Amino acid sequence: MLDHEQVAIHTGRRSRLPVIVAVHSTALGPAAGGLRLWRYPDWRDGLTDALRLSAAMTSKFAVAGLPSGGGKAVVALPEGRELDAGRRRDVLHDVADVIASLGGVYATGPDVGTSPDDMALIGETTPHVFCRPAHLGGSGDSSPHTARGTLAALRAVNRRLYGTSSLSGRALAVVGLGRVGAGLARLLAAEGAVLTVTDIDPDKQKIGDELGAVWRSPDEILAADVDIVVPAALGSTLTRRTATDLRCRAVVGPANNQLATPDVADLLHRRGIIWVPDYVASAGGVINAISTELHRVSADEARARVRAIEDTVDDLLDTAQRHGQTPAQAASELARRRLRAASGPTSAPPTSLRFRAAGPDDAEKVALLHADSWRRYYRGAYSDAFLDGDVEADRRSVWSSRLSVPSSSATVVAEEDTGLAGFVHVVFDEDGRWGSLVDNLHVTQHRRRTGLGTALFSRAAEAVVERGRGNAMYLWVLEQNTAAQEFYRAMGGTCVEKTPVSPPGGMASRLAGSPAMLRFTWPDASLLAQTGGRQGVQTTRRSTP
């Protein structure tokens, strides 16, 4: 308990049951976490669960980049105890009293044994609750968002393993068909995945039959010969024994506390099996609920935060590979850095952005950002040998030429006090039918999802309106880069064709297989130029030699 800011343990005055609320950290913001109503051999086992789960919530929020801390509420039921409706209401009112007494330090939502309706009842006493039913103004059942967030994590891992985010034809074993597991299994079936499923409830086999899945017993499924195992039930699935039995290439799922002991992550790593920390893969539900109900962002922004789990997993896998770490170590270090930064004596003031036309002196920093972006998001389309070797030299050559030789193009950079934050490059009138080409748009990792990409895209559109012969413009995006595709669709782009990717520098060995790219088009750039507002950013006028 010494790692926690506070732990409240009360005997409910109505139910006479132990009500435990563990607040692990409020460094990033008020704590939040689910209410678990579960049976334990001893109430102290419930306390252990609350301590462990609240710490995991801190990591979950920190890695997701959300301004919330980690907490957890547990009501420890004696084994064999059943609650009738009246007794259940007593328990929930006792929980509400404890949460109210904390004065906003902790907000609770559904977890094992609780539901949105339970949150509505708690909400009659305290406003510090989320995932109330939608008809009462809440975000409702979080399980569909948890499933979608796990799907995003699976896409990132599949791209790392097989070069594409598409799960069509991929063999996955879903362990547990509760609300999240069944929802995720349906999403995977819709993607064309080949499923093997199980649950401790044999009646759940009907769900497997509905999806055309193979049914295995819970004792057999972890050893199934599949590409990815998806734990979606209660924790401690991965023991040293089961980790040795695995025949998959990755384990990615929404179940909490999947590791029986921390050293299992190292064992999986030694066996070459990717394990995405459960608090990363399972974050979609709480991200959506916290974002909409506590942070008051729009539904679209909340969904974008859930989809961003794909980017988070991409980044963790990149970091782990570069530093020779497990993804679990990379995630833990990321969480620690963000918590240390938030716990410092002062916070750095927000930096202002400056936009200007790029010149020859910018070639080095633009090339390095371009290379870093390719390493993060082009792996699986470009060869590892290229991305880990010649990519910086290749980009230096390209940008030295582009920014020193006059041409019918423009490059706009965005700067902050610490250096380059992003850039966009436009080649005017590149295609007789589709217009000017937005050839590159990249932002630094810490500036992602801050609106900078939209601002740069708007400035590219302004440049097209000012200097192009017409207002049409287009760009290419890798087929595997689903996050970028969603961004460009949100900006009004239309995908009109798919074609093979051209190898960088014309060297076929730099490609990984036969990746494809999609052409997105905008017939009138003036509409996009208006979205960011005209800031008078001048683009150096160059003439074609």
Side-chain angles (χ1 to χ4, degrees):
M1 288 190 286
L2 295 179
D3 291 334
H4 288 65
E5 291 183 9
Q6 61 177 302
V7 180
I9 305 173
H10 292 253
T11 299
R13 65 182 180 86
R14 303 170 186 83
S15 66
R16 309 308 299 171
L17 289 171
V19 178
I20 304 161
V21 176
V23 175
H24 180 257
S25 172
T26 58
L28 296 172
L35 166 61
R36 178 164 292 196
L37 188 57
W38 196 243
R39 296 168 187 82
Y40 296 92
D42 186 278
W43 73 269
R44 296 172 188 82
D45 296 315
L47 172 60
T48 299
D49 228 6
L51 296 174
R52 180 175 59 172
L53 291 166
S54 59
M57 290 301 297
T58 294
S59 296
K60 180 177 291 191
F61 289 132
V63 172
L66 296 182
S68 292
K72 205 73 175 183
V74 170
V75 176
L77 298 177
E79 289 188 321
R81 173 73 62 87
E82 297 294 334
L83 297 178
D84 59 25
R87 186 78 162 159
R88 186 181 183 87
R89 286 182 64 86
D90 287 345
V91 169
L92 295 173
H93 280 132
D94 288 340
V95 171
D97 288 346
V98 176
I99 292 172
S101 73
L102 296 175
V105 169
Y106 169 75
T108 201
D111 194 67
V112 175
T114 58
S115 69
D117 287 337
D118 295 327
M119 299 307 109
L121 193 151
I122 294 172
E124 295 173 1
T125 300
T126 174
H128 304 300
V129 64
F130 54 92
C131 283
R132 291 169 299 134
H135 70 274
L136 295 178
S139 60
D141 182 9
S142 64
S143 61
H145 306 287
T146 303
R148 281 191 281 271
T150 306
L151 180 63
L154 284 163
R155 285 173 172 159
V157 170
N158 197 70
R159 181 164 54 248
R160 179 58 52 105
L161 292 174
Y162 303 107
T164 175
S165 61
S166 172
L167 293 159
S168 178
R170 201 63 57 204
L172 289 92
V174 180
V175 186
L177 294 175
R179 284 183 300 184
V180 175
L184 178 57
R186 290 188 174 96
L187 291 175
L188 292 170
E191 293 256 327
V194 180
L195 298 180
T196 300
V197 300
T198 194
D199 195 276
I200 58 173
D201 180 358
D203 287 343
K204 296 290 181 67
Q205 185 168 350
K206 291 181 289 189
I207 298 174
D209 294 341
E210 167 198 333
L211 300 176
V214 174
W215 178 268
R216 289 282 190 93
S217 74
D219 293 335
E220 296 175 327
I221 195 166
L222 289 177
D225 188 6
V226 295
D227 297 307
I228 304 175
V229 166
V230 184
L234 291 176
S236 299
T237 304
L238 300 174
T239 64
R240 293 191 65 83
R241 183 185 64 78
T242 59
T244 303
D245 292 340
L246 289 171
R247 301 170 66 190
C248 59
R249 296 188 64 187
V251 179
V252 185
N256 289 319
N257 296 320
Q258 293 170 20
L259 303 182
T261 54
D263 63 317
V264 175
D266 298 320
L267 174 58
L268 292 172
H269 186 64
R270 290 195 296 272
R271 293 198 60 210
I273 297 173
I274 294 174
W275 178 68
V276 173
D278 40 51
Y279 61 80
V280 177
S282 67
V286 74
I287 286 174
N288 179 78
I290 293 291
S291 297
T292 55
E293 295 190 61
L294 301 186
H295 301 163
R296 303 297 182 185
V297 306
S298 69
D300 286 343
E301 173 61 22
R303 284 191 289 269
R305 289 182 176 185
V306 173
R307 290 193 298 269
I309 290 174
E310 183 173 346
D311 295 336
T312 299
V313 174
D314 271 334
D315 294 342
L316 291 176
L317 296 179
D318 280 343
T319 300
Q321 183 178 48
R322 287 198 306 273
H323 297 287
Q325 299 174 311
T326 67
Q329 291 168 328
S332 294
E333 179 56 33
L334 175 59
R336 283 194 294 269
R337 285 200 308 271
R338 288 178 172 169
L339 289 166
R340 282 197 301 266
S343 301
T346 58
S347 298
T351 56
S352 58
L353 284 171
R354 300 173 296 277
F355 296 87
R356 63 172 176 80
D361 291 343
D362 297 305
E364 174 71 9
K365 55 190 174 185
V366 168
L368 291 178
L369 174 53
H370 197 172
D372 179 71
S373 186
W374 273 12
R375 287 195 192 100
R376 291 178 183 274
Y377 304 109
Y378 283 36
R379 204 169 291 275
Y382 293 174
S383 71
D384 287 346
F386 172 57
L387 293 177
D388 296 330
D390 296 337
V391 64
E392 288 187 5
D394 175 80
R395 293 299 89 191
R396 284 191 185 96
S397 174
V398 167
W399 286 105
S400 294
S401 174
R402 283 181 175 178
L403 296 179
S404 62
V405 178
S407 64
S408 55
S409 66
T411 304
V412 176
V413 296
E415 293 179 311
E416 54 189 346
D417 295 343
T418 55
L420 182 68
F423 70 91
V424 64
H425 179 75
V426 185
V427 182
F428 300 109
D429 307 313
E430 176 72 3
D431 189 283
R433 178 180 181 185
W434 303 112
S436 298
L437 169 64
V438 181
D439 191 34
N440 290 109
L441 193 164
H442 299 280
V443 300
T444 57
Q445 190 62 16
H446 79 280
R447 277 288 185 175
R448 286 177 59 81
R449 300 188 292 277
T450 64
L452 178 55
T454 301
L456 285 168
F457 199 65
S458 175
R459 282 158 177 78
E462 290 176 9
V464 170
V465 172
E466 292 171 1
R467 296 184 50 190
R469 288 194 294 269
N471 283 354
M473 69 181 198
Y474 72 100
L475 55 76
W476 295 101
V477 60
L478 286 181
E479 184 181 30
Q480 71 183 43
N481 195 347
T482 54
Q485 291 166 40
E486 290 174 357
F487 170 73
Y488 293 128
R489 287 192 176 95
M491 296 296 293
T494 301
C495 180
V496 296
E497 68 172 309
K498 180 170 75 172
T499 191
V501 171
S502 300
M507 300 172 64
S509 61
R510 291 178 169 177
L511 292 181
S514 302
M517 58 185 182
L518 308 175
R519 190 197 299 262
F520 276 73
T521 66
W522 291 261
D524 188 356
S526 66
L527 300 177
L528 292 161
Q530 294 169 4
T531 63
R534 292 184 178 277
Q535 303 294 323
V537 178
Q538 298 298 313
T539 55
T540 303
R541 187 174 296 274
R542 302 175 187 270
S543 58
T544 305

